[in-house]
Amino acid sequence: MNDPRWASIDAFAEQNRDNVLRDITRLVAVPSVEGTPEPGAPFGAGPKAALDKALEIAAELGLATHDAEGYIGWAETGPIADGQKYLATITHTDVVPEGNGWDADPYTVRLRDGWLLGRGVADDKGPTILCLYALKYLKDSGVELKYPVRALLGTNEETHMHDVDYYAAHYPMPAFCFTPDAEFPVCNGEKGGFNGEIVSPVLENGTILDFAGGVARNAVPDRAFCAVRADAAAIHPTEGVTVEAGENGTLTLRGWGKSGHAAMPEGTVNAIGLLVDCLLESGICTPQEEAYLRVLHTLHAATDGSALGIAANDGLFDPLTIIGGTIEMKDGVIRQSFDCRYPTNTNPETMTAALEKVCGSAARLDNLSSRVPFYIAADSPAVQALITTYNDVTGENKTPFTMGGGTYARHFPYAVSFGPEHSDLPLPDFAGPMHGANEGAHFDKLIEALKIYILALLRLQDIAL
């Protein structure tokens, strides 16, 4: 590394290793799944408590802080005058539900063989602390900043991103922003999103008494259950499904899969899909139930959408993905949510028509929503500043990439996602992915990311925005 600022950056990060670990632990300890809105806490008490903790940590680091009515908050290197251009990072303090399969308390950080384990260590509380320490370096170093830097702290990323909608409506947007909520090196494009529910008719006098599974619509469920009225001998043996006898001739079928992020379903096993197949193979359901289950079977049959007739690949983004995230039964109606990430050569209208054809008269679509694909040119000055910094620090020769995950970046006029995950770093058996059980982040890589962020923010000062 031949940048004259590197020695100081490297020393700062190494000297603060214990402090970074301490503050990640403090932030992860606050459960922050979206809840019921309250005064001053529009996304529930959990996300607001995590925002408060992040702002508390920022203040301890000597940064100026602001809470924007509980929707979003920030720390900054110094005052930003009206009309002044500024840089921003944006992370989020809310998390997906902890789900099942954890080896220990999800909200107590553990350090094992160099890996941090806990809900949010990777997505996105670990990166939140990195951004705060990056701003501390910039402030304490005394370097004159052409563009002040603001570390935005979101509270609603995992569901609707209404936090950034609020920010855009009330505050001037940054000249450039990056979000540490993806993989390195630089993600300059995100697939479109298409979401909704496949809903059954009212299933009267049927075999299925209850059906539930999944903890979030954007996560592949690793557990699900279905209560049925049937003889145990009629249940077809299915790998990943267990059967428990109940009272009055009822059975509980449980599906045991492997969870993961909806944008990266390769290697996951959908517990709902296991139960659907078991029910169909057992032949215990009414014709009406079976017709609906066949629609769900088609959804779960392939995560590339090929079974549904919506597979797409444009050569710019990875191919389309689709998963079934949650399922519930209420008043005789089953609702199966789906999460689709799509490239540029299809659209929600085309996919809706294909899904309606699959549903036929056996099911209907409900609560459809979508977002268009997002792309920033790889040769734009800010993207080049980030990719060059990453390669200089790591000695690699990577290029920007596109992905299926959806981040805050698409909500800003000039923004990308920038680490700190590493797709080429295999997870050990005891660690899980974002949104999965035993969510893990390699601590040395987090410290390396802190150095990358500091140097990148300094280099961004040198370009015209």
Side-chain angles (χ1 to χ4, degrees):
M1 169 62 66
N2 57 11
D3 193 299
R5 298 166 291 194
W6 179 250
S8 172
I9 295 170
D10 183 63
F12 171 84
E14 293 301 328
Q15 290 165 4
N16 280 283
R17 289 177 67 95
D18 291 345
N19 295 333
V20 169
L21 176 57
R22 176 200 65 203
D23 290 337
I24 291 174
T25 300
R26 292 167 65 191
L27 190 55
V28 169
V30 183
S32 52
V33 176
E34 183 179 16
T36 304
E38 300 177 6
F43 310 115
K48 180 58 166 64
L51 175 61
D52 289 345
K53 180 60 66 175
L55 293 173
E56 175 187 316
I57 293 169
E60 291 171 0
L61 297 177
L63 302 170
T65 63
H66 182 78
D67 180 344
E69 294 76 45
Y71 284 87
I72 196 168
W74 63 78
E76 54 194 12
T77 54
I80 299 174
D82 289 344
Q84 183 178 12
K85 292 182 177 180
Y86 69 96
L87 298 171
T89 64
I90 181 166
T91 55
H92 61 92
T93 58
D94 61 313
V95 295
V96 296
E98 56 269 24
N100 304 297
W102 288 80
D103 294 338
D105 176 22
Y107 301 111
T108 300
V109 170
R110 293 170 285 147
L111 179 59
R112 178 175 175 184
D113 295 345
W115 288 79
L116 301 186
L117 305 176
R119 173 59 82 226
V121 293
D123 183 25
D124 198 29
K125 292 181 175 180
T128 293
I129 297 302
L130 301 183
C131 289
L132 296 180
Y133 273 83
L135 265 64
K136 174 179 173 58
Y137 175 90
L138 296 176
K139 181 177 183 295
D140 292 353
S141 68
V143 63
E144 185 175 349
L145 299 176
K146 178 182 178 182
Y147 307 111
V149 185
R150 178 174 286 178
L152 293 164
L153 305 166
T155 58
N156 188 229
E157 194 273 347
E158 293 293 3
T159 51
H160 305 292
M161 300 194 191
H162 292 326
D163 46 0
V164 285
D165 293 338
Y166 183 88
Y167 187 80
H170 293 85
Y171 302 96
M173 298 293 265
F176 177 71
C177 176
F178 68 75
T179 177
D181 191 17
E183 298 172 359
F184 276 131
V186 177
C187 176
N188 63 319
E190 299 175 5
K191 291 179 185 174
F194 177 53
N195 306 280
E197 295 175 332
I198 299 175
V199 185
S200 75
V202 177
L203 303 174
E204 298 177 340
N205 302 316
T207 299
I208 301 173
L209 305 175
D210 197 7
F211 210 146
V215 297
R217 296 186 174 205
N218 60 354
V220 177
D222 66 345
R223 298 187 188 188
F225 81 88
C226 180
V228 297
R229 187 182 294 106
D231 190 314
I235 303 301
H236 186 277
T238 304
E239 185 176 357
V241 175
T242 58
V243 183
E244 303 169 7
E247 298 179 354
N248 302 319
T250 63
L251 302 172
T252 297
L253 311 184
R254 298 190 184 277
W256 307 90
K258 183 178 181 181
S259 63
H261 198 295
M264 298 162 281
E266 183 177 357
T268 62
V269 178
N270 196 308
I272 298 171
L274 295 177
L275 291 179
V276 167
D277 289 349
C278 179
L279 291 171
L280 287 172
E281 291 169 4
S282 299
I284 61 173
C285 294
T286 66
Q288 185 186 40
E289 291 171 333
E290 185 166 314
Y292 175 69
L293 291 175
R294 291 199 180 282
V295 176
L296 298 194
H297 168 79
T298 306
L299 168 68
H300 293 290
T303 58
D304 66 355
S306 56
L308 294 164
I310 62 171
N313 185 0
D314 63 359
L316 177 65
F317 292 92
D318 288 337
L320 177 148
T321 62
I322 186 168
I323 64 104
T326 59
I327 194 167
E328 65 174 356
M329 185 174 189
K330 184 177 181 180
D331 298 329
V333 174
I334 301 176
R335 290 179 172 269
Q336 165 74 74
S337 70
F338 63 87
D339 182 303
C340 176
R341 315 293 172 105
Y342 68 92
T344 60
N345 61 333
T346 188
N347 56 65
E349 293 74 23
T350 298
M351 292 184 286
T352 298
L355 265 63
E356 286 179 338
K357 182 177 181 181
V358 171
C359 289
S361 61
R364 63 182 175 87
L365 301 179
D366 196 13
N367 294 323
L368 297 180
S369 63
S370 62
R371 60 180 185 270
V372 299
F374 163 79
Y375 186 76
I376 298 291
D379 60 357
S380 64
V383 174
Q384 284 300 301
L386 299 189
I387 192 68
T388 300
T389 299
Y390 175 83
N391 286 332
D392 285 350
V393 172
T394 63
E396 298 176 8
N397 188 29
K398 295 290 185 69
T399 57
F401 69 98
T402 60
M403 70 172 184
T407 72
Y408 282 132
R410 65 172 56 246
H411 288 257
F412 294 85
Y414 189 17
V416 296
S417 53
F418 190 35
E421 289 285 291
H422 290 263
S423 60
D424 56 352
L425 184 64
L427 287 169
D429 292 341
F430 57 79
M434 292 182 179
H435 294 198
N438 299 316
E439 178 182 336
H442 196 283
F443 188 52
D444 284 346
K445 289 297 185 181
L446 291 180
I447 295 300
E448 181 184 68
L450 171 58
K451 301 173 188 179
I452 291 170
Y453 294 149
I454 294 171
L455 185 57
L457 289 168
L458 288 170
R459 289 181 170 178
L460 287 167
Q461 302 292 326
D462 299 330
I463 67 176
L465 292 172

PDB file of all heavy atoms in Angstrom, residues 311-342:
ATOM      1  N   ALA A 311     -38.548 -18.098 -15.633  1.00  0.00           N
ATOM      2  CA  ALA A 311     -37.082 -18.040 -15.613  1.00  0.00           C
ATOM      3  C   ALA A 311     -36.604 -16.939 -16.557  1.00  0.00           C
ATOM      4  O   ALA A 311     -37.156 -16.727 -17.638  1.00  0.00           O
ATOM      5  CB  ALA A 311     -36.495 -19.382 -16.011  1.00  0.00           C
ATOM      6  N   ALA A 312     -35.549 -16.212 -16.121  1.00  0.00           N
ATOM      7  CA  ALA A 312     -35.034 -15.103 -16.933  1.00  0.00           C
ATOM      8  C   ALA A 312     -33.569 -14.873 -16.605  1.00  0.00           C
ATOM      9  O   ALA A 312     -33.141 -15.011 -15.453  1.00  0.00           O
ATOM     10  CB  ALA A 312     -35.838 -13.826 -16.672  1.00  0.00           C
ATOM     11  N   ASN A 313     -32.792 -14.503 -17.641  1.00  0.00           N
ATOM     12  CA  ASN A 313     -31.367 -14.217 -17.478  1.00  0.00           C
ATOM     13  C   ASN A 313     -30.976 -13.210 -18.560  1.00  0.00           C
ATOM     14  O   ASN A 313     -31.114 -13.492 -19.747  1.00  0.00           O
ATOM     15  CB  ASN A 313     -30.555 -15.506 -17.619  1.00  0.00           C
ATOM     16  CG  ASN A 313     -29.077 -15.293 -17.337  1.00  0.00           C
ATOM     17  OD1 ASN A 313     -28.640 -14.176 -17.036  1.00  0.00           O
ATOM     18  ND2 ASN A 313     -28.293 -16.346 -17.437  1.00  0.00           N
ATOM     19  N   ASP A 314     -30.491 -12.037 -18.149  1.00  0.00           N
ATOM     20  CA  ASP A 314     -30.171 -10.985 -19.114  1.00  0.00           C
ATOM     21  C   ASP A 314     -28.680 -10.832 -19.390  1.00  0.00           C
ATOM     22  O   ASP A 314     -28.272  -9.992 -20.191  1.00  0.00           O
ATOM     23  CB  ASP A 314     -30.744  -9.642 -18.653  1.00  0.00           C
ATOM     24  CG  ASP A 314     -30.145  -9.156 -17.340  1.00  0.00           C
ATOM     25  OD1 ASP A 314     -29.292  -9.877 -16.765  1.00  0.00           O
ATOM     26  OD2 ASP A 314     -30.525  -8.065 -16.887  1.00  0.00           O
ATOM     27  N   GLY A 315     -27.830 -11.624 -18.715  1.00  0.00           N
ATOM     28  CA  GLY A 315     -26.398 -11.522 -18.913  1.00  0.00           C
ATOM     29  C   GLY A 315     -25.739 -10.409 -18.122  1.00  0.00           C
ATOM     30  O   GLY A 315     -24.512 -10.384 -17.987  1.00  0.00           O
ATOM     31  N   LEU A 316     -26.531  -9.481 -17.596  1.00  0.00           N
ATOM     32  CA  LEU A 316     -26.006  -8.396 -16.765  1.00  0.00           C
ATOM     33  C   LEU A 316     -26.102  -8.764 -15.294  1.00  0.00           C
ATOM     34  O   LEU A 316     -25.145  -8.625 -14.533  1.00  0.00           O
ATOM     35  CB  LEU A 316     -26.785  -7.106 -17.033  1.00  0.00           C
ATOM     36  CG  LEU A 316     -26.418  -5.876 -16.189  1.00  0.00           C
ATOM     37  CD1 LEU A 316     -25.003  -5.417 -16.496  1.00  0.00           C
ATOM     38  CD2 LEU A 316     -27.416  -4.738 -16.447  1.00  0.00           C
ATOM     39  N   PHE A 317     -27.258  -9.254 -14.898  1.00  0.00           N
ATOM     40  CA  PHE A 317     -27.489  -9.736 -13.547  1.00  0.00           C
ATOM     41  C   PHE A 317     -27.455 -11.264 -13.541  1.00  0.00           C
ATOM     42  O   PHE A 317     -27.558 -11.906 -14.593  1.00  0.00           O
ATOM     43  CB  PHE A 317     -28.852  -9.270 -13.033  1.00  0.00           C
ATOM     44  CG  PHE A 317     -28.959  -7.796 -12.790  1.00  0.00           C
ATOM     45  CD1 PHE A 317     -29.422  -6.951 -13.783  1.00  0.00           C
ATOM     46  CD2 PHE A 317     -28.592  -7.248 -11.573  1.00  0.00           C
ATOM     47  CE1 PHE A 317     -29.528  -5.589 -13.574  1.00  0.00           C
ATOM     48  CE2 PHE A 317     -28.684  -5.886 -11.351  1.00  0.00           C
ATOM     49  CZ  PHE A 317     -29.150  -5.053 -12.351  1.00  0.00           C
ATOM     50  N   ASP A 318     -27.353 -11.858 -12.362  1.00  0.00           N
ATOM     51  CA  ASP A 318     -27.536 -13.294 -12.244  1.00  0.00           C
ATOM     52  C   ASP A 318     -28.974 -13.644 -12.611  1.00  0.00           C
ATOM     53  O   ASP A 318     -29.859 -12.776 -12.609  1.00  0.00           O
ATOM     54  CB  ASP A 318     -27.238 -13.750 -10.810  1.00  0.00           C
ATOM     55  CG  ASP A 318     -25.753 -13.713 -10.480  1.00  0.00           C
ATOM     56  OD1 ASP A 318     -24.947 -13.764 -11.429  1.00  0.00           O
ATOM     57  OD2 ASP A 318     -25.415 -13.624  -9.285  1.00  0.00           O
ATOM     58  N   PRO A 319     -29.252 -14.907 -12.891  1.00  0.00           N
ATOM     59  CA  PRO A 319     -30.614 -15.288 -13.273  1.00  0.00           C
ATOM     60  C   PRO A 319     -31.635 -15.004 -12.170  1.00  0.00           C
ATOM     61  O   PRO A 319     -31.301 -14.856 -10.991  1.00  0.00           O
ATOM     62  CB  PRO A 319     -30.495 -16.792 -13.533  1.00  0.00           C
ATOM     63  CG  PRO A 319     -29.060 -17.007 -13.874  1.00  0.00           C
ATOM     64  CD  PRO A 319     -28.303 -16.033 -13.027  1.00  0.00           C
ATOM     65  N   LEU A 320     -32.881 -14.961 -12.572  1.00  0.00           N
ATOM     66  CA  LEU A 320     -34.002 -14.760 -11.661  1.00  0.00           C
ATOM     67  C   LEU A 320     -33.996 -15.811 -10.551  1.00  0.00           C
ATOM     68  O   LEU A 320     -33.624 -16.965 -10.769  1.00  0.00           O
ATOM     69  CB  LEU A 320     -35.307 -14.836 -12.456  1.00  0.00           C
ATOM     70  CG  LEU A 320     -36.644 -14.736 -11.719  1.00  0.00           C
ATOM     71  CD1 LEU A 320     -37.676 -14.063 -12.630  1.00  0.00           C
ATOM     72  CD2 LEU A 320     -37.172 -16.118 -11.296  1.00  0.00           C
ATOM     73  N   THR A 321     -34.425 -15.405  -9.363  1.00  0.00           N
ATOM     74  CA  THR A 321     -34.658 -16.347  -8.266  1.00  0.00           C
ATOM     75  C   THR A 321     -36.043 -16.097  -7.687  1.00  0.00           C
ATOM     76  O   THR A 321     -36.555 -14.975  -7.727  1.00  0.00           O
ATOM     77  CB  THR A 321     -33.618 -16.199  -7.133  1.00  0.00           C
ATOM     78  OG1 THR A 321     -33.710 -14.883  -6.554  1.00  0.00           O
ATOM     79  CG2 THR A 321     -32.209 -16.444  -7.642  1.00  0.00           C
ATOM     80  N   ILE A 322     -36.654 -17.143  -7.151  1.00  0.00           N
ATOM     81  CA  ILE A 322     -37.934 -17.008  -6.458  1.00  0.00           C
ATOM     82  C   ILE A 322     -38.019 -18.073  -5.375  1.00  0.00           C
ATOM     83  O   ILE A 322     -37.621 -19.223  -5.591  1.00  0.00           O
ATOM     84  CB  ILE A 322     -39.132 -17.114  -7.425  1.00  0.00           C
ATOM     85  CG1 ILE A 322     -40.446 -16.817  -6.684  1.00  0.00           C
ATOM     86  CG2 ILE A 322     -39.179 -18.445  -8.144  1.00  0.00           C
ATOM     87  CD1 ILE A 322     -41.640 -16.615  -7.617  1.00  0.00           C
ATOM     88  N   ILE A 323     -38.502 -17.671  -4.202  1.00  0.00           N
ATOM     89  CA  ILE A 323     -38.677 -18.622  -3.091  1.00  0.00           C
ATOM     90  C   ILE A 323     -40.015 -18.355  -2.408  1.00  0.00           C
ATOM     91  O   ILE A 323     -40.566 -17.261  -2.506  1.00  0.00           O
ATOM     92  CB  ILE A 323     -37.532 -18.536  -2.051  1.00  0.00           C
ATOM     93  CG1 ILE A 323     -37.515 -17.156  -1.348  1.00  0.00           C
ATOM     94  CG2 ILE A 323     -36.190 -18.811  -2.698  1.00  0.00           C
ATOM     95  CD1 ILE A 323     -38.046 -17.141   0.047  1.00  0.00           C
ATOM     96  N   GLY A 324     -40.528 -19.362  -1.717  1.00  0.00           N
ATOM     97  CA  GLY A 324     -41.672 -19.186  -0.839  1.00  0.00           C
ATOM     98  C   GLY A 324     -41.166 -18.955   0.570  1.00  0.00           C
ATOM     99  O   GLY A 324     -40.441 -19.789   1.114  1.00  0.00           O
ATOM    100  N   GLY A 325     -41.524 -17.821   1.176  1.00  0.00           N
ATOM    101  CA  GLY A 325     -40.932 -17.448   2.457  1.00  0.00           C
ATOM    102  C   GLY A 325     -41.725 -17.835   3.686  1.00  0.00           C
ATOM    103  O   GLY A 325     -41.202 -18.453   4.601  1.00  0.00           O
ATOM    104  N   THR A 326     -43.003 -17.460   3.731  1.00  0.00           N
ATOM    105  CA  THR A 326     -43.830 -17.756   4.903  1.00  0.00           C
ATOM    106  C   THR A 326     -45.148 -18.353   4.443  1.00  0.00           C
ATOM    107  O   THR A 326     -45.615 -18.108   3.326  1.00  0.00           O
ATOM    108  CB  THR A 326     -44.125 -16.487   5.725  1.00  0.00           C
ATOM    109  OG1 THR A 326     -44.813 -15.533   4.893  1.00  0.00           O
ATOM    110  CG2 THR A 326     -42.845 -15.865   6.249  1.00  0.00           C
ATOM    111  N   ILE A 327     -45.753 -19.120   5.330  1.00  0.00           N
ATOM    112  CA  ILE A 327     -47.082 -19.676   5.054  1.00  0.00           C
ATOM    113  C   ILE A 327     -47.892 -19.630   6.338  1.00  0.00           C
ATOM    114  O   ILE A 327     -47.349 -19.806   7.442  1.00  0.00           O
ATOM    115  CB  ILE A 327     -46.992 -21.118   4.500  1.00  0.00           C
ATOM    116  CG1 ILE A 327     -48.313 -21.561   3.899  1.00  0.00           C
ATOM    117  CG2 ILE A 327     -46.513 -22.097   5.572  1.00  0.00           C
ATOM    118  CD1 ILE A 327     -48.218 -22.840   3.065  1.00  0.00           C
ATOM    119  N   GLU A 328     -49.181 -19.323   6.204  1.00  0.00           N
ATOM    120  CA  GLU A 328     -50.067 -19.322   7.371  1.00  0.00           C
ATOM    121  C   GLU A 328     -51.477 -19.691   6.936  1.00  0.00           C
ATOM    122  O   GLU A 328     -51.851 -19.499   5.771  1.00  0.00           O
ATOM    123  CB  GLU A 328     -50.069 -17.960   8.065  1.00  0.00           C
ATOM    124  CG  GLU A 328     -50.653 -16.840   7.233  1.00  0.00           C
ATOM    125  CD  GLU A 328     -50.781 -15.531   7.999  1.00  0.00           C
ATOM    126  OE1 GLU A 328     -50.479 -15.527   9.204  1.00  0.00           O
ATOM    127  OE2 GLU A 328     -51.186 -14.518   7.392  1.00  0.00           O
ATOM    128  N   MET A 329     -52.220 -20.223   7.891  1.00  0.00           N
ATOM    129  CA  MET A 329     -53.613 -20.595   7.620  1.00  0.00           C
ATOM    130  C   MET A 329     -54.498 -19.898   8.650  1.00  0.00           C
ATOM    131  O   MET A 329     -54.229 -19.949   9.855  1.00  0.00           O
ATOM    132  CB  MET A 329     -53.795 -22.107   7.709  1.00  0.00           C
ATOM    133  CG  MET A 329     -55.189 -22.592   7.331  1.00  0.00           C
ATOM    134  SD  MET A 329     -55.272 -24.406   7.292  1.00  0.00           S
ATOM    135  CE  MET A 329     -56.900 -24.648   6.563  1.00  0.00           C
ATOM    136  N   LYS A 330     -55.523 -19.217   8.155  1.00  0.00           N
ATOM    137  CA  LYS A 330     -56.439 -18.508   9.040  1.00  0.00           C
ATOM    138  C   LYS A 330     -57.840 -18.571   8.441  1.00  0.00           C
ATOM    139  O   LYS A 330     -58.022 -18.281   7.248  1.00  0.00           O
ATOM    140  CB  LYS A 330     -55.996 -17.053   9.203  1.00  0.00           C
ATOM    141  CG  LYS A 330     -56.834 -16.260  10.186  1.00  0.00           C
ATOM    142  CD  LYS A 330     -56.283 -14.847  10.357  1.00  0.00           C
ATOM    143  CE  LYS A 330     -57.111 -14.055  11.359  1.00  0.00           C
ATOM    144  NZ  LYS A 330     -56.575 -12.668  11.525  1.00  0.00           N
ATOM    145  N   ASP A 331     -58.793 -18.973   9.260  1.00  0.00           N
ATOM    146  CA  ASP A 331     -60.199 -19.066   8.829  1.00  0.00           C
ATOM    147  C   ASP A 331     -60.345 -19.902   7.561  1.00  0.00           C
ATOM    148  O   ASP A 331     -61.123 -19.565   6.653  1.00  0.00           O
ATOM    149  CB  ASP A 331     -60.776 -17.670   8.604  1.00  0.00           C
ATOM    150  CG  ASP A 331     -60.791 -16.828   9.873  1.00  0.00           C
ATOM    151  OD1 ASP A 331     -60.934 -17.416  10.958  1.00  0.00           O
ATOM    152  OD2 ASP A 331     -60.627 -15.593   9.771  1.00  0.00           O
ATOM    153  N   GLY A 332     -59.558 -20.983   7.483  1.00  0.00           N
ATOM    154  CA  GLY A 332     -59.661 -21.901   6.366  1.00  0.00           C
ATOM    155  C   GLY A 332     -58.938 -21.468   5.105  1.00  0.00           C
ATOM    156  O   GLY A 332     -58.996 -22.159   4.082  1.00  0.00           O
ATOM    157  N   VAL A 333     -58.234 -20.337   5.146  1.00  0.00           N
ATOM    158  CA  VAL A 333     -57.524 -19.813   3.974  1.00  0.00           C
ATOM    159  C   VAL A 333     -56.017 -19.884   4.231  1.00  0.00           C
ATOM    160  O   VAL A 333     -55.525 -19.441   5.277  1.00  0.00           O
ATOM    161  CB  VAL A 333     -57.942 -18.365   3.684  1.00  0.00           C
ATOM    162  CG1 VAL A 333     -57.099 -17.774   2.555  1.00  0.00           C
ATOM    163  CG2 VAL A 333     -59.425 -18.302   3.340  1.00  0.00           C
ATOM    164  N   ILE A 334     -55.287 -20.438   3.273  1.00  0.00           N
ATOM    165  CA  ILE A 334     -53.825 -20.531   3.375  1.00  0.00           C
ATOM    166  C   ILE A 334     -53.208 -19.441   2.509  1.00  0.00           C
ATOM    167  O   ILE A 334     -53.617 -19.234   1.353  1.00  0.00           O
ATOM    168  CB  ILE A 334     -53.314 -21.914   2.915  1.00  0.00           C
ATOM    169  CG1 ILE A 334     -53.930 -23.024   3.765  1.00  0.00           C
ATOM    170  CG2 ILE A 334     -51.787 -21.975   2.992  1.00  0.00           C
ATOM    171  CD1 ILE A 334     -53.563 -24.425   3.312  1.00  0.00           C
ATOM    172  N   ARG A 335     -52.214 -18.766   3.067  1.00  0.00           N
ATOM    173  CA  ARG A 335     -51.475 -17.734   2.341  1.00  0.00           C
ATOM    174  C   ARG A 335     -49.992 -18.106   2.295  1.00  0.00           C
ATOM    175  O   ARG A 335     -49.357 -18.241   3.340  1.00  0.00           O
ATOM    176  CB  ARG A 335     -51.636 -16.362   2.997  1.00  0.00           C
ATOM    177  CG  ARG A 335     -53.029 -15.772   2.854  1.00  0.00           C
ATOM    178  CD  ARG A 335     -53.156 -14.423   3.547  1.00  0.00           C
ATOM    179  NE  ARG A 335     -54.444 -13.812   3.231  1.00  0.00           N
ATOM    180  CZ  ARG A 335     -54.656 -12.986   2.206  1.00  0.00           C
ATOM    181  NH1 ARG A 335     -53.623 -12.647   1.418  1.00  0.00           N
ATOM    182  NH2 ARG A 335     -55.853 -12.481   1.974  1.00  0.00           N
ATOM    183  N   GLN A 336     -49.475 -18.262   1.096  1.00  0.00           N
ATOM    184  CA  GLN A 336     -48.061 -18.552   0.877  1.00  0.00           C
ATOM    185  C   GLN A 336     -47.419 -17.315   0.246  1.00  0.00           C
ATOM    186  O   GLN A 336     -47.775 -16.909  -0.869  1.00  0.00           O
ATOM    187  CB  GLN A 336     -47.912 -19.742  -0.064  1.00  0.00           C
ATOM    188  CG  GLN A 336     -46.519 -19.932  -0.658  1.00  0.00           C
ATOM    189  CD  GLN A 336     -45.519 -20.480   0.337  1.00  0.00           C
ATOM    190  OE1 GLN A 336     -45.563 -21.655   0.674  1.00  0.00           O
ATOM    191  NE2 GLN A 336     -44.618 -19.619   0.805  1.00  0.00           N
ATOM    192  N   SER A 337     -46.469 -16.698   0.970  1.00  0.00           N
ATOM    193  CA  SER A 337     -45.785 -15.539   0.396  1.00  0.00           C
ATOM    194  C   SER A 337     -44.660 -16.002  -0.531  1.00  0.00           C
ATOM    195  O   SER A 337     -44.131 -17.102  -0.391  1.00  0.00           O
ATOM    196  CB  SER A 337     -45.209 -14.656   1.504  1.00  0.00           C
ATOM    197  OG  SER A 337     -44.113 -15.289   2.151  1.00  0.00           O
ATOM    198  N   PHE A 338     -44.309 -15.137  -1.472  1.00  0.00           N
ATOM    199  CA  PHE A 338     -43.167 -15.432  -2.337  1.00  0.00           C
ATOM    200  C   PHE A 338     -42.309 -14.183  -2.494  1.00  0.00           C
ATOM    201  O   PHE A 338     -42.783 -13.050  -2.386  1.00  0.00           O
ATOM    202  CB  PHE A 338     -43.600 -15.978  -3.699  1.00  0.00           C
ATOM    203  CG  PHE A 338     -44.414 -15.034  -4.532  1.00  0.00           C
ATOM    204  CD1 PHE A 338     -43.795 -14.110  -5.384  1.00  0.00           C
ATOM    205  CD2 PHE A 338     -45.802 -15.069  -4.497  1.00  0.00           C
ATOM    206  CE1 PHE A 338     -44.538 -13.239  -6.153  1.00  0.00           C
ATOM    207  CE2 PHE A 338     -46.562 -14.199  -5.278  1.00  0.00           C
ATOM    208  CZ  PHE A 338     -45.924 -13.283  -6.099  1.00  0.00           C
ATOM    209  N   ASP A 339     -41.022 -14.419  -2.726  1.00  0.00           N
ATOM    210  CA  ASP A 339     -40.037 -13.349  -2.899  1.00  0.00           C
ATOM    211  C   ASP A 339     -39.241 -13.651  -4.162  1.00  0.00           C
ATOM    212  O   ASP A 339     -38.546 -14.664  -4.233  1.00  0.00           O
ATOM    213  CB  ASP A 339     -39.114 -13.289  -1.679  1.00  0.00           C
ATOM    214  CG  ASP A 339     -38.088 -12.169  -1.754  1.00  0.00           C
ATOM    215  OD1 ASP A 339     -37.314 -12.132  -2.738  1.00  0.00           O
ATOM    216  OD2 ASP A 339     -38.020 -11.348  -0.829  1.00  0.00           O
ATOM    217  N   CYS A 340     -39.351 -12.784  -5.159  1.00  0.00           N
ATOM    218  CA  CYS A 340     -38.694 -12.979  -6.445  1.00  0.00           C
ATOM    219  C   CYS A 340     -37.721 -11.837  -6.707  1.00  0.00           C
ATOM    220  O   CYS A 340     -38.055 -10.671  -6.477  1.00  0.00           O
ATOM    221  CB  CYS A 340     -39.748 -13.049  -7.555  1.00  0.00           C
ATOM    222  SG  CYS A 340     -39.074 -13.164  -9.230  1.00  0.00           S
ATOM    223  N   ARG A 341     -36.519 -12.146  -7.181  1.00  0.00           N
ATOM    224  CA  ARG A 341     -35.530 -11.149  -7.598  1.00  0.00           C
ATOM    225  C   ARG A 341     -35.294 -11.365  -9.099  1.00  0.00           C
ATOM    226  O   ARG A 341     -34.901 -12.463  -9.510  1.00  0.00           O
ATOM    227  CB  ARG A 341     -34.233 -11.322  -6.817  1.00  0.00           C
ATOM    228  CG  ARG A 341     -34.408 -11.540  -5.291  1.00  0.00           C
ATOM    229  CD  ARG A 341     -34.966 -10.331  -4.589  1.00  0.00           C
ATOM    230  NE  ARG A 341     -35.302 -10.623  -3.200  1.00  0.00           N
ATOM    231  CZ  ARG A 341     -34.572 -10.226  -2.153  1.00  0.00           C
ATOM    232  NH1 ARG A 341     -33.450  -9.554  -2.347  1.00  0.00           N
ATOM    233  NH2 ARG A 341     -34.978 -10.497  -0.917  1.00  0.00           N
ATOM    234  N   TYR A 342     -35.531 -10.322  -9.903  1.00  0.00           N
ATOM    235  CA  TYR A 342     -35.543 -10.538 -11.353  1.00  0.00           C
ATOM    236  C   TYR A 342     -34.602  -9.589 -12.095  1.00  0.00           C
ATOM    237  O   TYR A 342     -34.390  -8.453 -11.684  1.00  0.00           O
ATOM    238  CB  TYR A 342     -36.960 -10.407 -11.891  1.00  0.00           C
ATOM    239  CG  TYR A 342     -37.560  -9.016 -11.835  1.00  0.00           C
ATOM    240  CD1 TYR A 342     -37.443  -8.141 -12.918  1.00  0.00           C
ATOM    241  CD2 TYR A 342     -38.260  -8.577 -10.712  1.00  0.00           C
ATOM    242  CE1 TYR A 342     -37.995  -6.874 -12.884  1.00  0.00           C
ATOM    243  CE2 TYR A 342     -38.811  -7.310 -10.667  1.00  0.00           C
ATOM    244  CZ  TYR A 342     -38.675  -6.458 -11.756  1.00  0.00           C
ATOM    245  OH  TYR A 342     -39.219  -5.191 -11.708  1.00  0.00           O
TER     246      TYR A 342
END
